[in-house]
Structure formats: structure tokens, C-alpha cells
Amino acid sequence: MSASNAPGHQSSQQVDPAIEKLVREQKSLKAKIDVLEAENKALKKSLFELSYIYSAQLGSSNHQPNSNTNSASRPLNNTTGGISGDLSVSSAIASSPHTANNTFNAEGSHHNDMVLAVGQLLSNMSAAQQSHGVEAASSNPANGSDAASRGTDAQLKNATDLIKVEEDGVRRLNIGNIVSRQDGSSKSDGRQFYLKNDLKGHQGAVYAVQYSPNGKYLATGSFDKTVRIWDGTTNQNELYVLKGHGLNISDLAWGHDSTLLLSGAYDNTCKLWDVESGKQLDSFEGEGFVQCVRFHPQDNHIFFSGTTRNMLTMIDTRKDSNPTSGSAIVIKNDTMVNSIYVYHDGLTVISGDSSGYLKTWDMRTGKVLQAILNEPTKKPISHLAISKQRGSLDGVSLAETEEPESRWLAINSYDNVIRVYDRGFEPPTTMPRLLYSLKGYRNKHWPIKSAFFHGKDYIAGAAGRRTGKVRGGDGDEAPSTISDKDIPLESSLILASGSMDPYVYLFDVGASDGQYEVLQKLSGHTDRVYDVDFHPIDHVLASGSADFSVKVWGRASKRKK
């Protein structure tokens, strides 16, 4: 018996090290999951509840525009319409504050804000999760982990995998449907752009890019909590790294004379910076994540902001204007304010919100002068872009060279359509008229932004005299990229947009109503492109991406001259 038991005993001894190795690997995996659990403990429950609420209330939104001026915080139930209630909802809602369903009260408001931050953390960490925790879990299917750990790991894997599958599908769709003309052979070569420079330094996704009005600087804001200022003219060197925010930078705005920069972030603050020295001048705390910021067009002492807590705020920095002190002008919208534009008078503001409404506000009275539903399913608006005339480096103020109020308004929406409106010659007394519904790019679930290039020789309607018919509008087919006549860049009205696929899209929107052209699809980024901005003087475009980079694109046709 002793001899017969020896092999079994020996086998047991040989198996034990393998078991111990599995146990060690399991403990390592459990430790990684525990780290995530520690960060998400207070947030997971809300994340799952949000997913359930969206699924249960799909298609049942009955939102109506209304507003209250300087109202106290009160419970609100703001549901954005049309977001799918499947497994991807948790990651999709959390990935962008624009789609969150917040019920604000004293106990839960900060909690809901933090749900959004964790969602962004999950999206930014997706690659790391797949290569570490998720990969380890798949290699140990019988590791004996408890049900909660397996559930957490599966939740993270499902979220990141679903996002990856959707993005891969979008890439294949766009490659098949839209022709990119980057070979320089087309008749529209005069309006083609090519990659000039790749600005690296950020350690997180680049969420905001803004050229200064005089064109000398480029400011970029990132999920790494920093703002960087680059030379915007020739060498494009990094000039300053501005540190002070505690969470992701969401938006940037320049003062009209290019001496001041304003940054908004998810740490609930707006910070004012001196561009010449790179020093922080002041900080202003508000309610909720700051989604958007803008300066008064002619007064650097006044700025505006919109937040996830439904606040539209006007602050005069010369006074005690902290919104929490009650001295600033604060308007309570009925849903999150995602993007704003300030009229030249500094008293009228347009907002785009997470219920799909475009509202024009009189900041003195807090009243809505005009409310327009961008599209019937009430998808969130992620960004408003207004066309501008091009300026000069000779000291001429841009305000002096612009139209009284720029006519063209572009709205990025979560239904994957950019709508371009003609605001007329006397907004807001005139009702905006829909001109184009641009398709091809992707905006679903992501806060994508766009920007106009307004050629100095552009005359409204002149480009419509081209002989080529361009398919566009709301048709189901992809827009044509064939043009029968080259149009100089100086005579063009172009809209650039980021996209959830890794491309920058250039649309010609200078033709007659309903006709547009996809001029180019710029490739070079390796992840979502969040923001774009044209240089105010040169034929240059900057783009910021989730791949941590800023790319600068230049005109490709100078060799013809």
C-alpha cells in the first residue's frame, strides 16, 4: 500500500505548486479589481441605476423647455431621449456628461457628477483594463474568484468591448462610404489639407483646442488636468504648461485681445490665466462640472459658463462673482448646458443642452427669447459652432472685421448629424433656417466639436453656381465627393468636425441649400477626435484627440502658386 500510494503522493506534491500559482494569480487579479472597486464603490450603484432608467424610459421623454432665474436647487428629472438601453448604456452615459440623467439634491448631486468622471476614467483606461485585469480573467476561467469580482470584471470587459466593436464598425462603414481625396489629384486640390505637425506632451485625451484671436497661440486642454499653450505661428513650440485644475479640462476660451485664457474643468472651477507669464490670475467655483466657457466678446472681465448642474452663469471678475455667493447672474436651465455662444452685445447667449434644445437667453431677465428643438428625438447637442470672418495680424480687432452677427450656426448632435442653420441678418429676432444636415461623421455618445473656416472672399450663395450636383441633405445615401469645379479656399465656407472614429471631416457648406460636399477625411489620429479649430489668419487647422496628441493640418495647394 505504501508503494502504491507513493505515486499519488508524488503527484499531489507536483500539483500543489500549480495550485499555488493559480491562487497567487487570483490574488493579484483580485487586488486589481479591489482597486477599481475602491474607486467606484460609491458610483457603481448609480451607474447601474442610470442604465436601468434609460432602458425603462426609452422613448418616453416628454421634455418641454422652461427656465427659472436664480432659483434654488430642487429635484429635477431630466431624461434625454433616444439613447439605447442595452449593455453599452452604462459606458455610453458615463463617458460623456452630455447624456447623463441627473436628479440633483443636496445628498446626490456630487455623487451623480462623479459617476460621469468614473465613466470617463473607464473609457480612458479601457486599453489597460483589457491588457491586465480582463486578460488575466480570461486566462483563468476556473480561478475560484467570488461572484462579485467576476461580475465587476465582466462589466468592465463588456463596456470596453462594446465601444471597441462600435468604433471598428464605424471605421469600416466610413471607409466604404466616403471617398478621401488626400492624393492631391482632385479638382478641389486648392482646399485639401495635409499633416504639418504633431504636437505631443499631453498625458491624457486632448478635449479642447483653441487658437487665440490674433493667431499667435494655440491652447489645448486635456484629461491630464493641464492646459498647454503652444506657439501658433511658425515653430509651434510648447510655451507653457498650466497646472491648477484637479480634474479633466473640458473647454477653453480666449479673451478678445489674446492676453487672457479661460479654462473650465470637471473640478467645478473656471480658472483665469495670464498668457504672457503663464500665471493663474483667479479661480471661480460653481455648481457641477463645467461643460463650456466663453468670454464677453469685448470685455475680458466678464465670462460665461454652462455646467452639468443645469447652470448658465455670467461672472464679472471685478466683483465678488463666485456663483456660490449668489452675486453672479445665474440662470437655471431644465437640463445640462453643453455648449454656449455669446452675442456681440454680451447680454444674449445661445445654449445647446442635453435635451436637444437650442435656446437664446436674455441674461438680464433670465428669459428664453427663442427655443428650437434641433431634431425630433431630442438627442443631446454636444457643440455649437458659429462662423467668423477671418482676422489680421496687423492689430485689427476681429470684432471690427466680423459681420454684425455671424449668420452660420452648426450644431453637433448625438444622432450623428451636424445641422447647419442660417441665423439671418438680425438674430435673435429672426428664426434660424435649416440649410444642411451633414452626415458621415460619428457623434454618438461622444462630445464632439466642430469649427467653421470662413474664407475672406466668401459670398453667401456664390459657391452654389457650380455646375456639379452634390447629393446631401437628409437622404439615406452617403454624400457625393465629386465636384465639377474647383473653388478657391478663400471663397469657401468649410465646416470641420471631429468624430468618434479617428478622423477629421471637412464639409463644404458654401453651396446652395441642401447641397454639401465631403471635401476630405483627414487620417492620422488613432482614437476619437474631440475638438477642432481653424487658425484665424492662416489656412491651418488643429485637432485634439483621445490619442493624447494635437495635430496641425496645413493647406496642400501652395505649391501651385
Side-chain angles (χ1 to χ4, degrees):
M1 294 293 294
S2 173
S4 64
N5 288 338
H9 181 67
Q10 183 179 4
S11 175
S12 176
Q13 289 180 331
Q14 292 174 346
V15 171
D16 284 345
I19 295 176
E20 290 177 357
K21 182 180 179 182
L22 289 175
V23 171
R24 287 196 300 270
E25 290 178 351
Q26 167 57 22
K27 287 181 179 179
S28 176
L29 176 61
K30 184 65 165 62
K32 294 174 182 177
I33 294 175
D34 286 344
V35 171
L36 291 176
E37 283 283 21
E39 295 175 351
N40 300 339
K41 183 178 179 181
L43 309 171
K44 273 196 305 182
K45 185 173 182 293
S46 291
L47 210 56
F48 296 146
E49 287 176 352
L50 285 172
S51 179
Y52 175 81
I53 291 171
Y54 269 87
S55 179
Q57 297 187 359
L58 181 63
S60 63
S61 174
N62 293 315
H63 172 79
Q64 294 294 332
N66 59 75
S67 65
N68 291 310
T69 306
N70 295 326
S71 63
S73 297
R74 56 190 175 85
L76 296 175
N77 186 14
N78 303 321
T79 304
T80 60
I83 297 180
S84 175
D86 57 18
L87 288 175
S88 67
V89 170
S90 292
S91 60
I93 294 172
S95 296
S96 169
H98 295 175
T99 58
N101 178 4
N102 292 312
T103 301
F104 296 117
N105 51 47
E107 181 179 354
S109 59
H110 182 66
H111 181 78
N112 281 302
D113 285 341
M114 289 305 295
V115 170
L116 308 173
V118 168
Q120 289 177 338
L121 177 65
L122 294 181
S123 64
N124 291 337
M125 292 176 63
S126 61
Q129 290 164 350
Q130 292 181 32
S131 62
H132 295 292
V134 174
E135 183 177 305
S138 62
S139 65
N140 283 318
N143 55 20
S145 64
D146 58 83
S149 298
R150 289 197 303 268
T152 302
D153 188 59
Q155 172 72 16
L156 296 175
K157 185 176 187 299
N158 286 338
T160 55
D161 284 353
L162 282 165
I163 294 173
K164 185 176 185 300
V165 167
E166 182 177 24
E167 291 179 345
D168 289 344
V170 168
R171 289 189 184 100
R172 289 193 297 271
L173 175 66
N174 287 329
I175 289 172
N177 288 343
I178 299 179
V179 179
S180 179
R181 299 182 301 178
Q182 299 180 65
D183 59 359
S185 62
S186 77
K187 293 183 179 180
S188 294
D189 184 67
R191 294 183 292 171
Q192 299 294 291
F193 286 77
Y194 69 100
L195 183 61
K196 288 184 61 177
N197 206 351
D198 197 352
L199 309 183
K200 296 183 178 179
H202 281 296
Q203 301 303 308
V206 181
Y207 203 77
V209 295
Q210 285 287 310
Y211 277 106
S212 61
N214 63 10
K216 292 182 179 180
Y217 305 106
L218 172 65
T220 60
S222 170
F223 284 10
D224 65 8
K225 309 174 189 177
T226 71
V227 176
R228 294 172 189 258
I229 298 179
W230 314 77
D231 183 341
T233 54
T234 54
N235 55 28
Q236 298 174 333
N237 291 334
E238 182 181 281
L239 303 178
Y240 296 109
V241 179
L242 310 180
K243 299 180 179 179
H245 282 290
L247 283 174
N248 305 342
I249 310 299
S250 57
D251 201 14
L252 300 169
W254 285 93
H256 69 90
D257 59 1
S258 303
T259 62
L260 296 180
L261 179 68
L262 182 67
S263 59
Y266 292 158
D267 60 4
N268 298 1
T269 69
C270 297
K271 297 187 185 298
L272 195 61
W273 309 87
D274 176 71
V275 177
E276 293 296 329
S277 65
K279 301 295 185 181
Q280 180 179 315
L281 300 178
D282 214 338
S283 181
F284 304 87
E285 185 172 356
E287 295 186 36
F289 293 170
V290 179
Q291 297 275 73
C292 46
V293 292
R294 289 290 181 272
F295 268 109
H296 187 293
Q298 283 89 35
D299 190 342
N300 283 350
H301 297 102
I302 299 174
F303 72 86
F304 303 78
S305 66
T307 76
T308 58
R309 296 287 301 280
N310 310 350
M311 300 292 186
L312 175 60
T313 306
M314 175 179 174
I315 293 177
D316 189 333
T317 61
R318 294 166 293 193
K319 304 175 182 177
D320 179 18
S321 297
N322 193 316
T324 58
S325 69
S327 60
I329 297 178
V330 180
I331 295 175
K332 187 86 169 184
N333 191 30
D334 46 12
T335 187
M336 289 183 293
V337 179
N338 296 336
S339 185
I340 56 175
Y341 165 77
V342 182
Y343 276 67
H344 294 334
D345 63 13
L347 297 171
T348 312
V349 175
I350 302 175
S351 69
D353 63 35
S354 62
S355 289
Y357 277 89
L358 181 72
K359 297 178 183 176
T360 304
W361 303 86
D362 184 333
M363 295 301 295
R364 295 163 294 186
T365 64
K367 301 296 184 182
V368 176
L369 302 177
Q370 194 178 79
I372 301 171
L373 182 59
N374 183 52
E375 55 88 31
T377 62
K378 300 182 179 179
K379 293 293 194 304
I381 292 172
S382 67
H383 188 249
L384 308 177
I386 305 290
S387 65
K388 294 184 293 185
Q389 295 280 16
R390 298 171 65 73
S392 168
L393 277 175
D394 300 327
V396 179
S397 170
L398 278 180
E400 297 175 7
T401 63
E402 288 181 356
E403 301 169 2
E405 270 296 335
S406 298
R407 289 180 60 181
W408 318 118
L409 163 68
I411 299 179
N412 288 68
S413 171
Y414 276 39
D415 65 346
N416 299 323
V417 178
I418 304 176
R419 291 172 177 82
V420 179
Y421 294 85
D422 181 356
R423 301 168 62 213
F425 291 104
E426 296 182 351
T429 58
T430 54
M431 182 69 69
R433 182 171 63 92
L434 179 63
L435 297 179
Y436 313 101
S437 295
L438 311 180
K439 297 181 180 181
Y441 92 118
R442 301 291 290 183
N443 206 152
K444 185 178 181 183
H445 300 327
W446 303 105
I448 304 300
K449 304 175 185 178
S450 60
F452 276 102
F453 173 93
H454 192 159
K456 61 183 177 62
D457 298 330
Y458 173 74
I459 301 174
R465 291 195 293 269
R466 73 184 69 180
T467 59
K469 295 292 184 179
V470 182
R471 187 172 182 82
D474 288 317
D476 293 333
E477 297 182 25
S480 169
T481 58
I482 299 174
S483 176
D484 293 338
K485 182 179 179 181
D486 182 32
I487 298 172
L489 190 61
E490 289 78 6
S491 300
S492 300
L493 183 65
I494 296 173
L495 183 72
S497 179
S499 180
M500 66 168 279
D501 55 26
Y503 302 104
V504 176
Y505 288 82
L506 296 180
F507 298 92
D508 172 15
V509 291
S512 57
D513 294 8
Q515 297 182 353
Y516 67 93
E517 181 178 359
V518 180
L519 288 175
Q520 201 174 3
K521 190 172 71 169
L522 301 176
S523 62
H525 285 293
T526 59
D527 208 334
R528 292 176 296 276
V529 180
Y530 284 122
D531 196 8
V532 293
D533 193 39
F534 281 103
H535 193 280
I537 299 105
D538 295 331
H539 304 114
V540 171
L541 172 69
S543 58
S545 169
D547 64 9
F548 300 5
S549 75
V550 177
K551 295 190 184 299
V552 179
W553 313 84
R555 188 177 185 178
S557 63
K558 289 185 178 181
R559 62 181 180 273
K560 288 184 174 182
K561 294 186 177 181

